Amino acid sequence: MPAHRYSELHTIPFYECNVNNRISIPMLINILILASEHQNEKLGVDQLYLIDKYGIGWVVTSYSIHITELPRKDSVVKMTTRGTSYNRYFAFREFWLHDQDGNELVKVESIWVLMNEKTRKITAIDDDVITPYQSEKVRRVPRLPRPGRIEPEDQMTSKEYQVRWSDIDFNGHVNNSRYPEWMLDSLPMDFLDTHEPTNIDIRFENEVKYGNRVTSSVVVDSSDNDKIKTVHEIKSSDVLSASATIVWKENKAEGQD
Amino acid sequence: MPAHRYSELHTIPFYECNVNNRISIPMLINILILASEHQNEKLGVDQLYLIDKYGIGWVVTSYSIHITELPRKDSVVKMTTRGTSYNRYFAFREFWLHDQDGNELVKVESIWVLMNEKTRKITAIDDDVITPYQSEKVRRVPRLPRPGRIEPEDQMTSKEYQVRWSDIDFNGHVNNSRYPEWMLDSLPMDFLDTHEPTNIDIRFENEVKYGNRVTSSVVVDSSDNDKIKTVHEIKSSDVLSASATIVWKENKAEGQD
């Protein structure tokens, strides 16, 4: 039996978009998580149920995001997700965004773990919790590409951020969508106005809390003429919170339509 | 003929909510603006039309926000707006949020001007642009309550923010919803976790751009035992960008449901 697939339509309002009137990366992550939460609800294994019954919750550890085209303001997209496979500790979830003609806009692979809400420790994936997804039980879930790391000899630039109250999730930790916001903001405006990500590999390492200061560092690698690559690290008190590698393309003629 | 009224339903996703699972003030402003943009489109006088034909755009100068109850995550609200009245330079627009039983949750009054997109100067409201709203032509539009100001002898606390790329609107200026975010974040987490705004009077004075640093200052006035009042100022290079007075109530038993 193939994994249960869940789809819903979503219209992208202006406030989910960046200055180029395309959905922002933080909001792209948010709407996909929304789709997965709706699937969890539909299958009777939503956030509240997991907390109430087991004291656990799903936490994403990494995304691999492939972007053919970022949807535009006011466009309607079809969001699809499935819990594809799992083993004792890791679950592999896929997401798709399609336009109304069925063209794939975005494909996302992600790895999730179940975390005890009190101890913040990873717990084994109980059959009860995973069965509704009809996920395939596998020996090893796919390995997502590991983001690059910044080396001491790299020419990096950094910006500092103070974690805000509005960055905090209901669970008291920084919402995952904030890391890519800090990562992107470390790049110059000129670059962000004229480039668009085509691939993002992002990995979450350590949670950040209210009041923490974080440093967002970036190294631009343009050794390959065809594509610019940036390597990002978010650190709090020298502890790595998240890392990412982003591949970019120029967004030609953007803003003229 | 009464002013044209526009309504639509909106479901509030988790990422429009704060840590208490209620819609955040920045997102409250965003969804209301979304409703007004949809009305503009429906009446054939949307943003693109105004820019293309006249080189102008609507800019809000102040809101007076009355909150009975902030809608919760996953709830469905009815957003309603109308362009109630106008004179030569100012337009008065009202907004309502209702729950599905018809109870009023939020009421917002706002004052708007038309601004030349190039010169950033206010222009007179042309009949062509306002006629579709069936707004009442008046000698004076209502005056919204003026927010308080921070006096030199006040005991204020301040936080600094660097304007981010993601704070910027398609027009190159900071999105209006960011000012209340900076204002609220100047208050301690303990306070924000346990209090909820019931009234917000906010006034926008001078636009802020990418790369600017802003200071968000607040004075807490608890001289009235029944309600705590905070007075906020956002300044950039000592120029006032926005000011607000917020009245608060305790949110008892919040987070337990």
mmCIF file of all heavy atoms in Angstrom, chain A residues 19, chain B residues 59 117 120 168-174 207:
data_model
loop_
_atom_site.group_PDB
_atom_site.id
_atom_site.type_symbol
_atom_site.label_atom_id
_atom_site.label_comp_id
_atom_site.label_asym_id
_atom_site.label_seq_id
_atom_site.Cartn_x
_atom_site.Cartn_y
_atom_site.Cartn_z
ATOM 1 N N VAL A 19 10.094 41.017 -1.753
ATOM 2 C CA VAL A 19 10.013 42.245 -2.538
ATOM 3 C C VAL A 19 9.815 41.949 -4.030
ATOM 4 O O VAL A 19 9.321 42.796 -4.773
ATOM 5 C CB VAL A 19 11.271 43.108 -2.247
ATOM 6 C CG1 VAL A 19 12.523 42.472 -2.812
ATOM 7 C CG2 VAL A 19 11.104 44.523 -2.719
ATOM 8 N N VAL B 59 -1.607 54.803 0.969
ATOM 9 C CA VAL B 59 -0.717 54.615 2.117
ATOM 10 C C VAL B 59 -1.515 54.890 3.382
ATOM 11 O O VAL B 59 -2.225 55.898 3.475
ATOM 12 C CB VAL B 59 0.496 55.573 2.039
ATOM 13 C CG1 VAL B 59 1.341 55.499 3.301
ATOM 14 C CG2 VAL B 59 1.342 55.264 0.813
ATOM 15 N N GLU B 117 4.026 57.727 -6.225
ATOM 16 C CA GLU B 117 5.023 56.674 -6.017
ATOM 17 C C GLU B 117 6.451 57.176 -6.222
ATOM 18 O O GLU B 117 7.384 56.638 -5.639
ATOM 19 C CB GLU B 117 4.761 55.494 -6.959
ATOM 20 C CG GLU B 117 3.541 54.662 -6.601
ATOM 21 C CD GLU B 117 3.715 53.862 -5.292
ATOM 22 O OE1 GLU B 117 4.746 53.219 -5.113
ATOM 23 O OE2 GLU B 117 2.782 53.912 -4.463
ATOM 24 N N ARG B 120 6.862 60.534 -3.541
ATOM 25 C CA ARG B 120 6.428 60.214 -2.165
ATOM 26 C C ARG B 120 5.694 61.403 -1.547
ATOM 27 O O ARG B 120 5.713 61.578 -0.329
ATOM 28 C CB ARG B 120 7.593 59.770 -1.269
ATOM 29 C CG ARG B 120 8.412 58.607 -1.792
ATOM 30 C CD ARG B 120 7.658 57.367 -2.140
ATOM 31 N NE ARG B 120 7.179 56.573 -1.006
ATOM 32 C CZ ARG B 120 6.399 55.503 -1.124
ATOM 33 N NH1 ARG B 120 5.995 55.100 -2.320
ATOM 34 N NH2 ARG B 120 6.001 54.848 -0.080
ATOM 35 N N ILE B 168 11.070 44.606 3.836
ATOM 36 C CA ILE B 168 10.826 45.591 2.776
ATOM 37 C C ILE B 168 9.676 45.156 1.878
ATOM 38 O O ILE B 168 9.609 44.007 1.454
ATOM 39 C CB ILE B 168 12.117 45.771 1.926
ATOM 40 C CG1 ILE B 168 13.256 46.270 2.806
ATOM 41 C CG2 ILE B 168 11.888 46.728 0.768
ATOM 42 C CD1 ILE B 168 13.045 47.611 3.415
ATOM 43 N N ASP B 169 8.805 46.109 1.596
ATOM 44 C CA ASP B 169 7.692 45.929 0.679
ATOM 45 C C ASP B 169 8.158 46.030 -0.769
ATOM 46 O O ASP B 169 9.243 46.512 -1.027
ATOM 47 C CB ASP B 169 6.713 47.096 0.884
ATOM 48 C CG ASP B 169 5.465 46.651 1.595
ATOM 49 O OD1 ASP B 169 5.290 45.443 1.770
ATOM 50 O OD2 ASP B 169 4.669 47.527 1.972
ATOM 51 N N PHE B 170 7.288 45.632 -1.678
ATOM 52 C CA PHE B 170 7.605 45.775 -3.104
ATOM 53 C C PHE B 170 7.933 47.224 -3.470
ATOM 54 O O PHE B 170 8.610 47.492 -4.443
ATOM 55 C CB PHE B 170 6.422 45.265 -3.952
ATOM 56 C CG PHE B 170 5.292 46.236 -3.998
ATOM 57 C CD1 PHE B 170 5.132 47.083 -5.087
ATOM 58 C CD2 PHE B 170 4.401 46.334 -2.924
ATOM 59 C CE1 PHE B 170 4.108 47.998 -5.108
ATOM 60 C CE2 PHE B 170 3.384 47.248 -2.945
ATOM 61 C CZ PHE B 170 3.238 48.092 -4.041
ATOM 62 N N ASN B 171 7.474 48.201 -2.658
ATOM 63 C CA ASN B 171 7.746 49.616 -2.975
ATOM 64 C C ASN B 171 9.060 50.126 -2.376
ATOM 65 O O ASN B 171 9.377 51.306 -2.474
ATOM 66 C CB ASN B 171 6.569 50.500 -2.551
ATOM 67 C CG ASN B 171 6.384 50.519 -1.029
ATOM 68 O OD1 ASN B 171 7.298 50.152 -0.291
ATOM 69 N ND2 ASN B 171 5.228 50.933 -0.567
ATOM 70 N N GLY B 172 9.816 49.220 -1.756
ATOM 71 C CA GLY B 172 11.145 49.624 -1.255
ATOM 72 C C GLY B 172 11.141 50.171 0.164
ATOM 73 O O GLY B 172 12.189 50.556 0.670
ATOM 74 N N HIS B 173 9.974 50.235 0.811
ATOM 75 C CA HIS B 173 9.893 50.744 2.177
ATOM 76 C C HIS B 173 9.484 49.636 3.139
ATOM 77 O O HIS B 173 8.949 48.618 2.730
ATOM 78 C CB HIS B 173 8.887 51.898 2.248
ATOM 79 C CG HIS B 173 9.344 53.070 1.458
ATOM 80 N ND1 HIS B 173 9.102 53.165 0.112
ATOM 81 C CD2 HIS B 173 10.057 54.163 1.816
ATOM 82 C CE1 HIS B 173 9.652 54.295 -0.334
ATOM 83 N NE2 HIS B 173 10.233 54.920 0.664
ATOM 84 N N VAL B 174 9.728 49.905 4.411
ATOM 85 C CA VAL B 174 9.392 48.907 5.421
ATOM 86 C C VAL B 174 7.886 48.664 5.449
ATOM 87 O O VAL B 174 7.101 49.613 5.460
ATOM 88 C CB VAL B 174 9.882 49.362 6.813
ATOM 89 C CG1 VAL B 174 9.263 48.522 7.927
ATOM 90 C CG2 VAL B 174 11.403 49.278 6.883
ATOM 91 N N GLU B 207 8.719 57.147 6.595
ATOM 92 C CA GLU B 207 9.075 55.828 6.087
ATOM 93 C C GLU B 207 10.523 55.473 6.424
ATOM 94 O O GLU B 207 11.391 56.324 6.492
ATOM 95 C CB GLU B 207 8.860 55.799 4.572
ATOM 96 C CG GLU B 207 7.382 55.975 4.194
ATOM 97 C CD GLU B 207 7.168 56.043 2.703
ATOM 98 O OE1 GLU B 207 7.843 56.847 2.038
ATOM 99 O OE2 GLU B 207 6.328 55.289 2.200
#
